[in-house]
Amino acid sequence: MLALTSVWTTILLAAAVALGPLATDMYLPALPQIGSDFSTGTDQVQLTLSLYMLGFALAQLICGPLADRFGRKPIMIGGFLLFALASVGCALATNIETLMLCRFLQALGGSAGPVLGRAAIRDIYTPREAARIMAILASIMALAPAIAPTIGGFMVSGLGWASIFIVLAGYALVMAVVVTFGIPEPMRPEYRQPLRLCSLLRNYRTIATDISFLGYTLTNALIFSGLFAFLSGSSFVLIDFLGVEPEHFGLFFACIVVGYVTGNLTAVRLGSQLVPDQILVRGLTVAVVGGSIMAGLAIAEIHTVWSVILPQALFMVGVGMVLPQTMAGAMANFPHMAGSASALFGFTQMAVAAIAGALVGHLHDGTSLVMATIIAASAAAALASYLILVQRHPAAGFESQPASTR
């Protein structure tokens, strides 16, 4: 077993959390082909993404409290096994309805990695340390969306879209073995919560009525919905509208990931000089600028690959700065129920993202306009949430002065 604070434990937790992004990013190049194979429209194909996000959101409300009672490891392992089984079902699907159902089941299992990975970080580190570790973890995780669409594009071209789900099933099985034998249980025994409905509801009420939790969570969910709007619409915009080949889709997607990693590393570097509040406002400002540029170009009917990719890369710099701070801030007040706090945080994040994704699919007009407008609106709403809630109600002990200035 590895030490909880070792760099390899952080890497393994990142690999566990990366299962969620992999399940969306790897099959993005396949969406147009899935629609063609099943003779269905963009809105129906896009629902396989939104239903995944909905299942992901709902499952977190269950696996978080279960993890607070039984520990992080057993719930995470069970989630990986369910994910693997559902992934095989996706590969064998013969119609869009079956694929939707299996994607929903896949999400139920896949939610365990991200929600319990966040909780484990909070178990191991203090709130300020957790923000730094989550930024590092996010940078490691960025390898998944950097390479997943490229791999997925080549698999679609050479082996068909079903092969993507077979690979995802294998990844989940490997992670189940790695977590079983490689990572100690991070949860302190004294933090175990009783698994009773009244206790569960009381915990959720305590968390949901904490204004600082609501502020960080809503800011995170809104900025993440801009990211998910891009995930939902990018394959249709780049492949169908702008003529990018599926096998080249991942190369352009990698530019987006570079922006995200840049934001993560900037947050890590600034973490020793600035308080999270200062990092947040800088990241949100960058995201608003990026989203506004993309929307402006789309309104002006400037339709090129780079008029989408470059503004989105700038938007992702802001996302990379914002997400780690809001994750750590949301859970800062709840070390004794980190699983439930992470679950409610994740539910809100995924529910808002699912709405944004559904809007992209439903309103898609064949150009980049709808996607770009929703991305810009998400960034502006996130900034408003920060100004109204986070800035006025920061988490106690989280927004204190950085170590270098104390």
Side-chain angles (χ1 to χ4, degrees):
M1 288 284 181
L2 298 169
L4 283 174
T5 55
S6 94
V7 65
W8 286 107
T9 297
T10 301
I11 292 173
L12 291 179
L13 286 173
V17 175
L19 186 63
L22 279 173
T24 55
D25 298 336
M26 187 174 284
Y27 98 126
L28 289 178
L31 293 180
Q33 185 61 54
I34 291 172
S36 176
D37 288 353
F38 291 152
S39 300
T40 190
T42 298
D43 57 338
Q44 292 292 304
V45 178
Q46 195 281 330
L47 273 178
T48 64
L49 271 174
S50 289
L51 283 174
Y52 179 87
M53 300 299 281
L54 179 61
F56 208 96
L58 293 173
Q60 291 184 77
L61 296 178
I62 300 171
C63 71
L66 286 175
D68 280 344
R69 173 64 182 88
F70 299 108
R72 316 304 184 204
K73 283 185 60 174
I75 309 304
M76 193 179 290
I77 293 165
F80 288 142
L81 295 177
L82 175 58
F83 181 95
L85 183 62
S87 295
V88 174
C90 290
L92 299 177
T94 56
N95 54 63
I96 194 67
E97 291 79 15
T98 302
L99 181 61
M100 287 179 184
L101 174 61
C102 290
R103 281 287 286 171
F104 184 80
L105 295 175
Q106 191 187 41
L108 298 184
S111 68
V115 70
L116 300 183
R118 287 192 300 264
I121 294 296
R122 182 63 187 92
D123 291 333
I124 300 168
Y125 299 98
T126 66
R128 286 299 305 275
E129 291 171 337
R132 181 179 62 86
I133 295 299
M134 284 182 180
I136 295 172
L137 183 144
S139 297
I140 298 171
M141 278 177 56
L143 292 173
I147 63 175
T150 302
I151 295 173
F154 281 108
M155 292 179 71
V156 170
S157 298
L159 301 173
W161 60 264
S163 62
I164 293 172
F165 292 104
I166 298 300
V167 170
L168 288 172
Y171 184 93
L173 291 175
V174 169
M175 289 310 306
V177 173
V178 167
V179 171
T180 300
F181 299 105
I183 301 177
E185 172 58 56
M187 184 181 182
R188 297 181 184 180
E190 63 269 25
Y191 283 167
R192 291 185 185 268
Q193 300 287 316
L195 191 62
R196 295 192 297 269
L197 182 60
C198 60
S199 298
L200 188 154
L201 294 177
R202 183 170 59 249
N203 287 349
Y204 276 142
R205 184 180 62 187
T206 299
I207 297 166
T209 54
D210 185 281
I211 300 299
S212 67
F213 173 86
L214 291 176
Y216 289 109
T217 300
L218 187 58
T219 301
N220 179 286
L222 289 167
I223 201 75
F224 185 79
S225 69
L227 166 58
F228 192 69
F230 179 80
L231 296 179
S232 298
S234 59
S235 59
F236 297 104
V237 170
L238 295 178
I239 296 174
D240 284 351
F241 176 51
L242 297 174
V244 173
E245 294 296 328
E247 59 267 31
H248 298 152
F249 175 83
L251 300 177
F252 291 105
F253 201 87
C255 297
I256 309 302
V257 176
V258 169
Y260 182 62
V261 172
T262 300
N264 289 151
L265 296 179
T266 300
V268 172
R269 184 171 180 272
L270 294 177
S272 61
Q273 306 168 25
L274 306 175
V275 296
D277 177 86
Q278 295 169 315
I279 299 174
L280 271 173
V281 72
R282 285 163 171 77
L284 287 165
T285 301
V286 171
V288 168
V289 171
S292 299
I293 291 173
M294 189 195 298
L297 292 173
I299 292 170
E301 298 186 355
I302 300 174
H303 298 305
T304 69
V305 171
W306 294 112
S307 70
V308 173
I309 294 300
L310 292 180
Q312 182 65 19
L314 182 60
F315 173 84
M316 291 302 294
V317 172
V319 172
M321 296 174 68
V322 169
L323 291 188
Q325 314 304 317
T326 50
M327 288 178 190
M331 293 191 293
N333 294 341
F334 305 102
H336 55 299
M337 53 179 88
S340 296
S342 181
L344 191 57
F345 173 90
F347 170 81
T348 307
Q349 181 191 62
M350 296 302 174
V352 174
I355 293 171
L359 285 173
V360 170
H362 182 69
L363 301 175
H364 181 59
D365 63 351
T367 73
S368 61
L369 179 60
V370 170
M371 180 185 75
T373 302
I374 292 176
I375 290 171
S378 298
L383 178 59
S385 174
Y386 161 79
L387 294 173
I388 295 170
L389 295 173
V390 175
Q391 198 170 58
R392 297 179 182 179
H393 304 279
F398 180 58
E399 298 286 359
S400 58
Q401 290 296 315
S404 63
T405 62
R406 284 192 297 228

